[in-house]
Amino acid sequence: MNNTPEWITRSVSRLRTAAPAADKATDKTADKTTDKTADKTADKSVKAALDKTVTDVVAKVAVPRSTHERLQATLRRGQEALSPRALRRLLADLQEVVAPQVSEIEGGRRAQTVAEWYAKAEPEERRDMWLLMCEQFAPDATRFKSARQRYEAAAGTAEEGQAEISLRRALVSPRTRLLQRFSAFSEGMRFLVDMRAEILPLLKADKRLLPLDAELEHLFSTWFDVAFLELRRLSWDSPASLLEKLIKYEAVHDIRSWADLKNRLDSDRRCYGFFHPRLPNEPLIFVEVALLDKISASITPLLDEAAAPVDIARATTAIFYSISNTQTGLRGVSFGDSLIKHVVETLTAEFPRLRTFATLSPIPGFRSWLGKHAGAMLDRLDDKRRSELGRAVGFEPPQATHFLGALDKALELDAKSPVRQMLLECAAYYLGRELQEGKPVDPVARFHLGNGARVERLNWAGDPSNKGQKQSYGLMVNYLYDLKRIDKHRSLLAQGKVPVSGDIDSLCRD
């Protein structure tokens, strides 16, 4: 089986040698004109047969064998990692984990043994284990079909309840029990979260892994429900190992040094994280908060290590300036909204004077979006404003390239610049109007607006760092959490209307 390329070459050679023979037979039975036509026809026929054969052979080689086929085979094929024999042995080990006579404790011990093998396995060998989990531990299709038919037949009768129970049980795959056994040993939860983090980047290229990913996400949404999480304050007195993780996982504004971290944990700051009992020393998500007397317009003073702490006794505003998820394997499991709610409750209890809860947030997708939609935004201008912008960029009428070129040094634009005004209007439209499948296109906007906030204010030069300029020309945005209107804002968003302040609405210029 490993000589497949050589077999293709031999087959192609035989087909090529058949072509002259076909040509020679045609020459003996036709005149010169007919000969030429026949030659071309024969050549086309042979070429078509050759192309079809090669295509069929390559297709056979390119399509990977299922684990069902590999388990029945004797030899390994192509790029397959585990031999059929090794694959059968690994399947037996996985089946032993969920054997009916095995207790939860013993099943967990056996799962740990498999996890130890996994830790030493090569990436492609790990993929083979994932494929076994997907294909060999799937729900019983026959049982599901029977249960579904029984449920449909029982609809509206006294048997409907029992039929529903049977259908639910038929939908539970052996894979669920297998993954539950892996969660039973001490490091099992860590193992499963890390395993999903490995799987996620491969899903687009290998759809066979989708069932395992979906099962893990479903289980994690239950295991990491907010009811099982603990909110903890992180301070300068927290263990060094935990502080190191804050530095490692900070995803919005990089922590440059221990002095930088100490500033973010000073007396006028708060940092909170959600923890799970099975991952006691790993914050799943954490938020950094600054206590101020007004809504902040720039990240620079918040990150200034030399700035004096604010008198927290006079603080009226809590600014959430960084929220970071730490576990890639928990993608799709939402607990950010619960974190904000819990933090607001905790802060309110500690500081009764707090009245305003807002964010100072980046706009990570804006610059990329504007690069694609600048022309459409210019088309929205009336003749007067188009002429003003044209004079400012030196080209009339201005084109998208002219406008974007003038933004290369956006932070140098003065407050009355038509280019600056146009950029603010584009940002307001991006945040307040641009939706995809009913949701904001910007990921940070999608998070906060989905949690019931509203787009409150755009801040020029809010983040003048290189990262800030690459993301949004230095713009930042405040999302306001009006505790009395959170449900109203969510309802508006569900209707396809982004909740925005009056200032943002006027900038959108509908």
Side-chain angles (χ1 to χ4, degrees), residues 52-96:
K52 185 177 186 306
T53 301
V54 173
T55 300
D56 290 346
V57 170
V58 171
K60 275 187 176 181
V61 174
V63 175
R65 294 191 296 183
S66 68
T67 56
H68 297 282
E69 295 170 316
R70 291 172 60 190
L71 290 166
Q72 299 301 317
T74 303
L75 299 176
R76 182 178 1 216
R77 174 190 285 178
Q79 301 301 314
E80 293 172 352
L82 295 176
S83 67
R85 181 179 180 183
L87 198 67
R88 287 190 288 271
R89 185 165 58 247
L90 178 57
L91 175 59
D93 290 341
L94 291 171
Q95 290 171 333
E96 283 298 309

Side-chain angles (χ1 to χ4, degrees), residues 100-378:
Q101 71 278 10
V102 173
S103 68
E104 293 290 336
I105 295 176
E106 176 61 18
R109 189 191 66 77
R110 295 182 182 187
Q112 184 173 6
T113 301
V114 175
E116 290 169 355
W117 169 88
Y118 183 94
K120 300 174 184 177
E122 296 295 327
E124 289 305 314
E125 294 174 334
R126 293 181 176 188
R127 186 196 291 257
D128 278 349
M129 189 178 95
W130 304 337
L131 290 173
L132 284 175
M133 288 179 161
C134 288
E135 298 175 357
Q136 300 299 319
F137 294 86
D140 186 325
T142 302
R143 181 186 174 198
F144 169 70
K145 181 178 179 181
S146 175
R148 185 185 65 185
Q149 291 173 341
R150 180 184 172 190
Y151 176 71
E152 291 172 349
T157 72
E159 297 298 318
E160 182 176 0
Q162 187 59 48
E164 180 184 341
I165 293 172
S166 298
L167 180 59
R168 287 180 180 277
R169 288 174 177 170
L171 279 169
V172 177
S173 70
R175 191 186 307 117
T176 299
R177 185 170 177 80
L178 177 64
L179 295 173
Q180 288 171 336
R181 288 287 172 89
F182 272 92
S183 71
F185 65 93
S186 59
E187 294 298 318
M189 195 71 76
R190 173 82 275 163
F191 169 79
L192 291 175
V193 171
D194 289 345
M195 184 175 77
R196 183 168 184 247
E198 289 183 79
I199 293 172
L200 285 172
L202 307 176
L203 293 177
K204 286 186 179 179
D206 195 343
K207 303 298 184 185
R208 298 174 298 170
L209 300 176
L210 287 172
L212 177 57
D213 173 64
E215 192 98 58
L216 283 167
E217 182 178 349
H218 173 72
L219 287 172
F220 288 161
S221 66
T222 300
W223 293 341
F224 290 90
D225 184 84
V226 65
F228 304 120
L229 302 181
E230 176 190 1
L231 182 71
R232 288 192 220 160
R233 179 184 168 189
L234 305 172
S235 71
W236 188 245
D237 295 326
S238 298
S241 59
L242 190 52
L243 297 181
E244 287 175 346
K245 287 172 182 174
L246 293 184
I247 297 174
K248 174 183 176 182
Y249 291 128
E250 167 60 52
V252 184
H253 305 290
D254 292 342
I255 298 176
R256 302 178 299 273
S257 63
W258 285 98
D260 184 3
L261 177 62
K262 187 174 184 179
N263 174 57
R264 302 189 195 199
L265 300 175
D266 211 339
S267 60
D268 59 341
R269 304 296 178 88
R270 291 294 183 270
C271 181
Y272 298 95
F274 264 152
F275 291 79
H276 191 277
R278 297 303 298 272
L279 298 172
N281 300 312
E282 287 279 349
L284 307 178
I285 184 173
F286 61 89
V287 57
E288 297 169 55
V289 187
L291 302 175
L292 304 169
D293 58 1
K294 61 183 177 180
I295 295 179
S296 180
S298 172
I299 194 64
T300 302
L302 299 186
L303 301 183
D304 183 2
E305 298 168 22
V310 173
D311 181 2
I312 56 176
R314 302 179 62 184
T316 59
T317 304
I319 295 294
F320 303 94
Y321 64 93
S322 179
I323 300 176
S324 299
N325 286 289
T326 70
Q327 306 299 313
T328 304
L330 294 179
R331 191 178 77 184
V333 180
S334 176
F335 28 62
D337 58 339
S338 297
L339 174 66
I340 291 175
K341 289 177 184 176
H342 280 62
V343 169
V344 167
E345 291 173 1
T346 302
L347 288 172
T348 303
E350 185 177 359
F351 304 102
R353 287 172 56 91
L354 290 179
R355 293 291 182 269
T356 303
F357 299 90
T359 78
L360 179 61
S361 300
I363 317 174
F366 174 56
R367 184 162 183 161
S368 173
W369 175 87
L370 186 59
K372 299 173 184 176
H373 296 85
M377 295 303 297
L378 291 178

